[in-house]
């Protein structure tokens, strides 16, 4: 300010052993020079008018309640907290050079609450910073993309729910894919697809503890199902969709809790799971008997059901014979055969898996290629393109010439400047999907088009430069405004894999 300089450091604190058994949001205020005046305004949320906050005294503490959450506001003596009430709090203070103050909220849900001292909270700010730095230092990253990889890895780490190992698809709900539009979804759940990609990403980055935690979560969830798409972070079933009567981001409604695709089926689940297992053992790890049983059961289920229609990777309302879904089924069977050949899975059904793998490949060749388009169609006879086909290169699907022609068609038809739309019908209804562009860079690299791959990657990273390094789901190709939920795990996963593949790091 005109009168002086101060530094604010905000931290969601952790402990030296990892996650604290309570939530601790700390804000340190340090005077650097002169005098800086601060106004403090605290407002409790009302959960879209489903909870009314209130304050009550317990012993010498003033405790706030919001539904099942209770918390305490703590501060150093310079901050007067006596105005705390059901409505919140307002207070003022100032700092001069060399002065250091702290304001913090400690909270929990359905549990007794520790009341730490401000000094202990302040010390945990530095400890948290140190622990995060130590975590990034053990990552296997280097080269000219080191800083970008660290930012993406940190975003993925933030989406990891440590009590279970689940990976949240994003941290938000209902941020629109088009301003004022209705494509608003709740992504605060753990998708099987994202878990698979995350395990592979953490393994490639050298974060093996996180990879193992995510794989364990995935196997435990699949033990009792034949391939649900996603779960709550604690492992439970997601709730039915419920609309919340609030205006939404820039008046984009509906605002929802829950996700309506919970009852969909996607063949991509099979490929994601078997690919994850194959990459897990490739890094020198071993499978337990329960994991082996789950993987065999899911492979058999894939072999039985791949001819059925599904909702595809984009979770569309109308089931179709999506080409990418058939390739994912091929991927699952191919990886299962490789695992059996490596003695990771029993060979009892190996020959059957081989025959079904080849039948899937034959079906795709017969029904999904369009010579007039020079590309694999989104589904047979659709006349549309699907940018997710770039993933088929990573999946090692046969026919590199046809995959190359497909990527060229995607660039021509779905590209908009640096970025790409998901599929032919998406333009004008939503922004460009960030993951698709990174998938394209990775695909070009694996097809031997190294210059094109690096140019695609560098153009995307340059256009996304700035801010904290977190990525949304989509971007407006003209204004470059974020669209969709954030931080979006799939965007960061695609960026990590794209960067590492272009760098020549082994898949």
């Amino acid at each position: 300010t005109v009168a002086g300089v101060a530094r604010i450091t905000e931290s969601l604190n952790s402990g030296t052993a990892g996650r604290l058994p309570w939530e601790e949001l700390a804000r340190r205020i340090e005077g650097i020079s002169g005098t800086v005046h601060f106004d403090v305004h605290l407002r409790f949320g009302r959960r879209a008018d489903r909870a009314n906050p209130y304050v009550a005294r317990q012993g010498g503490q003033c405790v706030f309640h919001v539904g099942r959450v209770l918390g305490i506001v703590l501060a150093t003596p310079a901050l007067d907290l006596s105005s705390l009430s059901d409505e919140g709090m307002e207070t003022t203070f100032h700092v001069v050079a060399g002065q250091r103050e702290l304001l913090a909220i400690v909270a929990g849900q359905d549990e007794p609450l520790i009341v730490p001292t401000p000094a202990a909270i302040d010390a945990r700010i530095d400890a948290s910073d140190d622990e995060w730095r130590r975590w990034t230092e053990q990552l296997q990253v280097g080269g000219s993309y080191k800083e970008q990889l660290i930012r993406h890895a940190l975003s993925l780490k933030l989406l990891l729910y440590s009590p279970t190992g689940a990976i949240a698809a994003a941290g938000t709900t209902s941020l629109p894919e088009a301003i004022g539009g209705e494509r608003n979804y709740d992504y605060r759940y753990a998708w099987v697809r994202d878990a698979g990609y995350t395990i592979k990403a953490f393994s490639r980055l050298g974060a093996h503890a996180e990879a193992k935690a995510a794989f364990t979560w995935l196997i435990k969830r699949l033990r009792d199902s034949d391939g649900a798409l996603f779960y709550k972070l604690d492992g439970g079933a997601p709730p039915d969709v419920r609309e919340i009567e609030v205006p939404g981001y820039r008046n984009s409604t509906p605002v929802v809790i829950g996700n309506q695709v919970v009852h969909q089926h996607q063949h991509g689940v099979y490929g994601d799971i078997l690919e994850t297992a194959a990459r897990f053992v490739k890094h020198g790890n071993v499978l337990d008997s329960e994991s082996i049983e789950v993987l065999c059961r899911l492979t058999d289920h894939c072999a039985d059901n791949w001819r059925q229609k599904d909702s595809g990777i984009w979770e569309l309302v109308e089931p179709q014979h999506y080409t990418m879904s058939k390739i994912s089924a091929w991927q699952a069977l191919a990886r299962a055969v490789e695992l059996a050949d490596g003695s990771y899975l029993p060979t009892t059904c190996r020959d059957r898996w081989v025959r079904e793998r080849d039948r899937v490949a034959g079906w795709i060749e017969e029904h999904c290629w369009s010579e007039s388009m020079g590309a694999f169609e989104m589904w047979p006879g659709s006349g549309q393109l699907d940018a997710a086909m770039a993933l088929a290169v990573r999946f090692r699907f046969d026919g590199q010439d046809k995959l190359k022609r497909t990527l060229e068609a995607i660039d021509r038809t779905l590209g908009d400047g640096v970025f790409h739309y998901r599929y032919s019908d998406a333009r004008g209804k939503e922004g460009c999907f960030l993951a698709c562009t990174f998938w394209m860079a990775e695909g070009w690299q694996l097809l031997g088009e190294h210059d094109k791959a690096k140019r695609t990657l560098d153009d995307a990273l340059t256009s996304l430069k700035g801010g904290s390094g977190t990525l949304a789901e989509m971007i407006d190709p003209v204004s470059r405004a974020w669209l969709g939920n954030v931080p979006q795990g799939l965007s960061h996963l695609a960026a990590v894999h794209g960067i590492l593949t272009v760098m020549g790091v082994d898949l």
Side-chain angles (χ1 to χ4, degrees):
T1 70
V2 174
V5 176
R7 178 189 296 117
I8 295 178
T9 304
E10 191 166 78
S11 172
L12 187 60
N13 281 344
S14 54
T16 53
R19 184 177 184 267
L20 290 170
W22 60 84
E23 311 303 328
E24 187 172 282
L25 179 63
R27 181 175 289 171
R28 175 193 290 163
I29 308 97
E30 299 172 274
I32 305 300
S33 64
T35 301
V36 181
H37 178 87
F38 287 94
D39 295 325
V40 179
H41 302 272
L42 172 64
R43 293 289 179 270
F44 301 121
R46 291 189 173 86
R47 298 195 167 183
D49 291 334
R50 293 177 180 269
N52 281 315
Y54 67 95
V55 169
R57 290 206 167 271
Q58 284 192 30
Q61 298 295 339
C62 193
V63 181
F64 68 81
H65 299 255
V66 183
R68 293 159 54 195
V69 169
L70 76 158
I72 302 172
V73 183
L74 299 166
T76 44
L79 281 74
D80 181 6
L81 306 183
S82 62
S83 65
L84 185 66
S85 69
D86 295 351
E87 300 302 316
M89 182 186 73
E90 293 189 8
T91 190
T92 63
F93 70 100
H94 68 269
V95 293
V96 298
Q99 183 178 351
R100 184 152 120 177
E101 304 297 342
L102 180 104
L103 179 65
I105 293 175
V106 175
Q109 178 170 299
D110 293 335
E111 58 186 334
L113 203 58
I114 289 288
V115 183
T117 66
I121 296 171
D122 186 70
R124 275 194 287 271
I125 295 176
D126 296 320
S128 301
D129 176 71
D130 184 60
E131 288 300 317
W132 280 100
R133 292 183 186 278
R134 287 175 182 270
W135 185 80
T136 60
E137 288 168 1
Q138 57 87 37
L139 296 175
Q140 296 173 6
V141 297
S144 58
Y145 297 105
K146 179 178 180 179
E147 290 304 315
Q148 291 99 323
L149 282 170
I150 287 175
R151 301 313 301 175
H152 296 309
L154 285 168
S155 295
L156 293 173
K157 175 73 168 172
L158 284 168
L159 291 170
L160 178 72
Y161 183 59
S162 59
T164 64
I167 300 288
T172 55
T173 179
S174 307
L175 293 182
E177 296 178 0
I179 302 302
E182 297 181 352
R183 295 188 176 192
N184 311 326
Y185 307 107
D186 189 353
Y187 281 0
R188 300 169 300 168
Y189 304 100
W191 264 253
V192 169
R193 173 196 61 206
D194 290 15
Y197 294 171
T198 301
I199 294 161
K200 182 178 175 182
F202 278 142
S203 295
R204 294 180 81 186
L205 291 167
H208 298 297
E210 287 76 14
K212 191 273 179 187
F215 191 56
T216 299
W217 173 87
L218 181 62
I219 290 296
K220 286 182 176 179
R221 298 291 74 72
L222 296 169
R223 180 179 54 196
D224 301 320
S225 72
D226 288 322
L229 298 183
F230 65 99
Y231 302 84
K232 290 170 62 177
L233 300 185
D234 64 6
D240 291 330
V241 177
R242 173 164 56 89
E243 290 191 21
I244 305 298
E245 293 186 8
V246 293
Y249 178 71
R250 295 178 63 183
N251 295 313
S252 301
T253 56
V255 174
V256 298
I257 292 174
N259 195 299
Q260 67 268 34
V261 304
V262 66
H263 302 298
Q264 285 187 359
H265 175 71
Q266 297 176 18
H267 295 327
V269 169
Y270 302 126
D272 295 335
I273 295 164
L274 271 298
E275 185 74 34
T276 297
R279 296 306 169 187
F280 187 77
V281 300
K282 183 177 180 179
H283 286 274
N285 305 309
V286 296
L287 298 174
D288 63 292
S289 58
E290 183 176 281
S291 298
I292 290 170
E293 180 182 348
V294 169
L295 294 171
C296 289
R297 175 167 53 82
L298 289 172
T299 304
D300 286 337
H301 201 271
C302 175
D304 284 333
N305 290 280
W306 68 265
R307 293 181 186 274
Q308 299 293 317
K309 293 181 179 181
D310 77 332
S311 297
I313 188 173
W314 303 125
E315 300 168 349
L316 301 177
V317 174
E318 183 181 3
Q320 292 285 357
H321 290 292
Y322 292 103
T323 302
M324 196 61 215
S325 295
K326 304 304 183 188
I327 289 176
S328 294
W330 174 92
Q331 173 196 18
L333 293 161
R335 298 298 93 81
V337 171
E338 293 166 8
L339 287 166
D341 290 343
S343 301
Y344 295 105
L345 295 183
T347 58
T348 309
C349 295
R350 178 198 179 276
D351 292 345
R352 188 232 176 165
W353 296 342
V354 169
R355 293 193 298 272
E356 289 301 328
R357 177 199 64 190
D358 295 342
R359 289 186 184 110
V360 178
W363 195 97
I364 294 168
E365 182 68 25
E366 179 181 355
H367 297 285
C368 300
W369 175 258
S370 170
E371 189 61 40
S372 63
M373 294 175 63
F376 285 107
E377 297 182 88
M378 190 172 185
W379 70 86
S382 66
Q384 298 185 39
L385 289 172
D386 180 358
M389 281 299 303
L391 286 170
V393 186
R394 182 203 295 176
F395 298 164
R396 292 179 278 150
F397 185 68
D398 298 334
Q400 288 206 343
D401 178 65
K402 288 183 176 179
L403 289 175
K404 181 179 179 181
R405 292 175 66 186
T406 300
L407 264 62
E408 290 171 345
I410 291 170
D411 261 340
R412 288 194 308 270
T413 307
L414 302 183
D416 194 331
V418 174
F419 302 105
H420 299 78
Y421 292 98
R422 291 189 292 168
Y423 48 83
S424 296
D425 195 36
R427 190 185 297 266
K429 298 179 180 178
E430 62 186 38
C432 289
F433 200 82
L434 292 179
C436 292
T437 299
F438 291 113
W439 293 340
M440 291 291 288
E442 184 180 27
W444 286 126
Q445 178 72 16
L446 295 173
L447 289 169
E449 299 284 343
H450 304 312
D451 291 342
K452 187 177 290 187
K454 193 172 189 310
R455 185 167 59 252
T456 301
L457 175 67
D458 289 346
D459 287 348
L461 292 175
T462 299
S463 298
L464 296 169
K465 196 173 183 179
S468 64
T470 56
L471 299 178
E473 179 183 21
M474 299 181 184
I475 191 171
D476 185 305
V478 178
S479 70
R480 301 293 169 87
W482 286 148
L483 294 169
N485 289 303
V486 62
Q488 179 80 9
L490 194 58
S491 298
H492 289 285
L493 290 166
V496 167
H497 288 305
I499 291 171
L500 291 176
T501 299
V502 170
M503 288 176 63
V505 177
D506 185 29
L507 284 172

